[in-house]
Amino acid sequence: MISDGCRVAFVLVSLAVGLALVAGGFQLVTLGGSFYYLLAGIAYVALGALFLVRSRVSWAISLSVAIFVATVLWALHDAPDLSYWPLLPRLVVPAILFMLSLLLAAVLPQVPAATRRISAGGGVAVLLGLVVTLVEAFSPHGGFRGEAPDKARVASAVAPQPDDWQFYGRNINGTRYVPYTQIGPGNVADLKVAWVYHTGRRTTGAGAGVDENTPMQVGPVLYSCTPEDVIAAIDADSGRQIWRFDPHAHAAEHVSCRGVGYYDVTRDDSLGDADRQVAADQPCRQRILVSTVDARLFALDAHTGQLCAGFGENGYVDVKKNMGPTEGGRRYHPTALPVVMGHLAVIGGWVRDIVHGEPSGVVRAYDVRTGALAWAWDVGNPDNPVPPDPDTAFTLETPNVWAIPTYDKALNQVYLPTGNGPPDYWGGDRDAVKNRFGAAVVAVDATTGKTRWVRQLVHHDVWDYDLPSQPVMYDVTNASGEKIPSLIQTTKTGHIFVIDRRTGEFVTTVEERAVPTAPAAQGEHLSPTQPFSVGMPTIGADPLSERSMWGVSTFDQLYCRIMFRNSVYEGPFTPPGEKPYIEWPSLLGGMNWGGISIDEANDILFVNDMRMPLRMMLVNHEDAKHYKISTDEVPGFMGTLRPQIAGPYSGVRIDILQSPLQVPCNTPPFGTMSAIDLRTKKLLWQVPMGTAEQLGPMGVKSHLPIPMGMPTLGGPTTTASGLVFFAGTQDYYLRALDSMTGRELWKATLPAGAVAAPLIYKSPRTGKEYVVISVGGAAHSPDAADDVIAYALPDGGAGRQGADNPP
């Protein structure tokens, strides 16, 4: 009979679920975790057994009701908050089993007719509830809506803005604020592709790299770079290539170009009239500066793309000189564009971070006219930055600056966001100088390179919490209501620090709080305190717990809870050690290299983040014999050994804390966009960014636009019209958000993912406003592209303003 077949099938399902929960639940209980899974497993085994015996079906129905009611009560108590994502894995599988049991009871002949009718109705009701739950997955959950800014408040006076995008953050302050209103909330939905330029970059093979480029715009020309530093000048209105230059630069790791530098000698007020006149009569009056992945610095004529013959040797400067064992750039190369400071350009660099004796992390300034070294800020000799003797090597394995510095013309300072001296995860033999300058913002004199002040944001960093992003200059009010010329520095820890750029003192409240120092690695000496920025919102750094572990289903949530209980986790700054420990926020972020954008008229800061905890473990020399160790810095996550040869250790094992379905164990969202009111220092809104459309369980594309928020990279761009443009999600879209609410107003499908920040400019020829994005591929995605895509309003659309889009 059909009913007997259904009964046997349900019995098998119930027994399988029950036995799986008993096995995992027993392990969780032995680790000190929740008893629910063990008890539920026993109950499901009993439920299957009762349905197997025809005479006990009525008991089975009662037990099924009791299991589900108890599960609901437990879920309401156990979930960290009563919202969609925390409740989903706790209730969906039990609801499915409950529904099946009711529908089964409705067809069994031994069940009284009245009970069958009630069971059928109940089963259908649960089914409808599951359908509603499925539909709700396609709505955003896990965001935050605070109080909107007072509509009556007065707009801030916005400093005069340039018409060109000459710096990585558009203006010299790095705010990535666009003062145009042609495209606004009322017409952004009308944006169409205006042109597409193909860079021709390699998209496959070793060292193809990641396209992180935000093109530079000067007048009617854009200047774009590929990961291997192929430079192109592009007509801003048509996308037509004007010229192209290939330096034939190749590297094995960290292959990317985030942008180029621009210098115009005719506008350089750091030179005297005589020097400016002499240079103005020579070729390369306007030049493009590029630091390459094979550790060269070169200059091109901005009009022709030809090398500037008077710069270095035939247009090139070898920045590997005196740096130590760079292996032709494999162990060292610049990863940020040259920052132009008058007639000087400053560059830092990425260092491999594997062993003692790695190349120097020195920061250097070069004369943009000749390529001559002007000064060198060497942590080993920070108070003597004058150009060294040509045969004197820089100090090896010092804290480096791989993110983008910021130039303060008014104070004649450049701000350096530092990383750490290698190796990353064990610092038992670090000296006082490394401990002072690691993971710090350092202000140095832009003319001489002498240290002005140091403000450390992570003490004795053994978590790879390098300062990842450009410090942004903006005036912020302190507790007394006084506007302070400030630096805003985001961090991988989820903390945002506001620093007086004159003195290095904190503008908003920062507390030194005690953090765990045990169990520590052999020979380690951790800092007993760390700075916590309590005067600004903390993004995505709520402490983890067993209850906050997540999963798509009951089973992978149980797995994640076991993994959590089987790991060392002492909260923020959990000490690294030889037992598996959880790093949260992880070395991936928190906030990463994309940085922030600020609506300067409304004093609102926008920042994106990612939330992926890591399960890590230091491996000593003896145990390392069981691993295959690669000389690459990052041979890959999940079960590999990243070499870290220092003290008693040969490496660190790094795994994403994730379920067997390859879904992170923390509760979604896994990436957000947040808006912070810099007047009140409060979070205005936070929305999940990105869907599971292109990256689902097991890394398979789900093709389901479920907006659960995915890890983000790149950064946002803000307009005066009230829009935030962003593309750095795992799905393939460029989006525009309402800056006051976070509501998505428009999105455009891209041929692949994009991790670069959007560029927005107004053509000096036509007056048309364009939104441009470099599309090269998202992290962890197999799809890559070589597109630079420009969007604009169709003809006639430029003059049509929405109600919220002032002219």
Side-chain angles (χ1 to χ4, degrees), residues 148-156 601-602 679 740:
D150 184 355
K151 292 183 179 180
R153 78 180 192 175
V154 178
S156 293
N602 293 292
R679 300 186 191 182
M740 289 298 173

Side-chain angles (χ1 to χ4, degrees), residues 181 328 719 764:
T181 60
T719 71

Side-chain angles (χ1 to χ4, degrees), residues 423-648:
D424 281 324
Y425 306 102
W426 186 81
D429 57 5
R430 289 181 190 167
D431 59 24
V433 173
K434 287 184 184 179
N435 274 327
R436 179 189 178 204
F437 287 103
V441 179
V442 182
V444 303
D445 187 288
T447 302
T448 67
K450 291 186 177 180
T451 303
R452 294 268 187 90
W453 53 257
V454 182
R455 173 54 62 189
Q456 190 168 68
L457 303 184
V458 181
H459 305 321
H460 192 76
D461 177 18
V462 288
W463 302 272
D464 198 10
Y465 284 158
D466 296 354
L467 299 192
S469 58
Q470 180 182 29
V472 173
M473 297 192 298
Y474 197 70
D475 291 351
V476 178
T477 54
N478 61 14
S480 301
E482 179 187 6
K483 278 215 166 185
I484 304 297
S486 303
L487 279 180
I488 302 174
Q489 179 68 62
T490 59
T491 66
K492 294 181 180 180
T493 64
H495 289 275
I496 301 172
F497 293 89
V498 184
I499 304 167
D500 187 328
R501 57 182 187 261
R502 301 167 300 184
T503 64
E505 298 300 317
F506 289 120
V507 175
T508 55
T509 304
V510 174
E511 295 178 356
E512 283 285 335
R513 292 182 175 176
V515 294
T517 57
Q522 298 179 47
E524 189 57 274
H525 47 85
L526 299 176
S527 172
T529 65
Q530 292 289 349
F532 286 72
S533 180
V534 298
M536 289 285 287
T538 302
I539 307 297
D542 292 340
L544 299 178
S545 66
E546 182 196 326
R547 293 170 61 184
S548 67
M549 293 296 99
W550 194 75
V552 175
S553 70
T554 301
F555 309 107
D556 52 325
Q557 184 181 47
L558 171 57
Y559 176 90
C560 286
R561 294 177 84 135
I562 293 171
M563 291 294 287
F564 178 83
R565 284 289 183 177
N566 208 20
S567 306
V568 176
Y569 178 69
E570 301 292 336
F573 301 99
T574 292
E578 296 180 35
K579 294 182 178 179
Y581 65 94
I582 294 173
E583 183 176 287
W584 168 260
S586 76
L587 59 92
L588 303 173
M591 285 77 93
N592 211 296
W593 56 263
I596 66 174
S597 181
I598 297 176
D599 178 342
E600 297 190 23
N602 293 292
D603 299 308
I604 300 175
L605 179 155
F606 303 94
V607 63
N608 58 290
D609 73 310
M610 70 169 73
R611 306 175 187 188
M612 293 181 67
L614 297 179
R615 189 171 187 259
M616 304 171 63
M617 178 177 65
L618 291 174
V619 180
N620 61 42
H621 298 312
E622 181 63 29
D623 292 340
K625 297 175 182 178
H626 304 295
Y627 291 87
K628 179 180 179 181
I629 300 179
S630 168
T631 57
D632 292 338
E633 185 206 17
V634 187
F637 288 119
M638 304 310 297
T640 61
L641 191 68
R642 176 174 174 173
Q644 287 285 286
I645 304 169

Side-chain angles (χ1 to χ4, degrees), residues 262-313:
Y262 177 81
Y263 176 70
D264 184 349
V265 70
T266 66
R267 298 183 180 182
D268 184 1
D269 57 12
S270 71
L271 299 176
D273 291 340
D275 288 339
R276 192 161 52 240
Q277 184 59 47
V278 169
D281 293 335
Q282 304 298 319
C284 287
R285 292 182 297 276
Q286 292 82 30
R287 58 184 60 191
I288 302 300
L289 299 164
V290 184
S291 52
T292 66
V293 295
D294 59 356
R296 290 178 289 166
L297 176 67
F298 67 88
L300 301 173
D301 188 305
H303 303 285
T304 67
Q306 299 297 310
L307 285 166
C308 296
F311 185 84
E313 296 183 11

Side-chain angles (χ1 to χ4, degrees), residues 95 98-99 102-103 118-132:
F98 183 47
M99 175 194 70
L102 293 177
L103 295 179
I118 295 173
S119 296
V124 171
V126 176
L127 175 59
L128 292 175
L130 289 168
V131 171
V132 170

Side-chain angles (χ1 to χ4, degrees), residues 49-128:
L50 289 174
F51 266 113
L52 186 62
V53 181
R54 288 187 175 89
S55 62
R56 295 290 185 264
V57 169
S58 59
W59 290 17
I61 297 172
S62 299
L63 179 58
S64 183
V65 172
I67 293 173
F68 187 67
V69 169
T71 295
V72 170
L73 294 175
W74 167 80
L76 295 176
H77 168 74
D78 185 71
D81 61 81
L82 303 182
S83 58
Y84 182 85
W85 291 119
L87 291 174
L88 183 78
R90 290 171 168 85
L91 293 178
V92 167
V93 168
I96 291 173
L97 289 172
F98 183 47
M99 175 194 70
L100 293 176
S101 71
L102 293 177
L103 295 179
L104 174 61
V107 300
L108 292 178
Q110 59 267 41
V111 175
T115 303
R116 288 203 303 270
R117 287 194 296 271
I118 295 173
S119 296
V124 171
V126 176
L127 175 59
L128 292 175

Side-chain angles (χ1 to χ4, degrees), residues 208-223:
V210 180
D211 188 349
E212 299 175 350
N213 164 57
T214 297
M216 175 179 291
Q217 171 259 330
V218 180
V221 182
L222 307 187
Y223 299 96

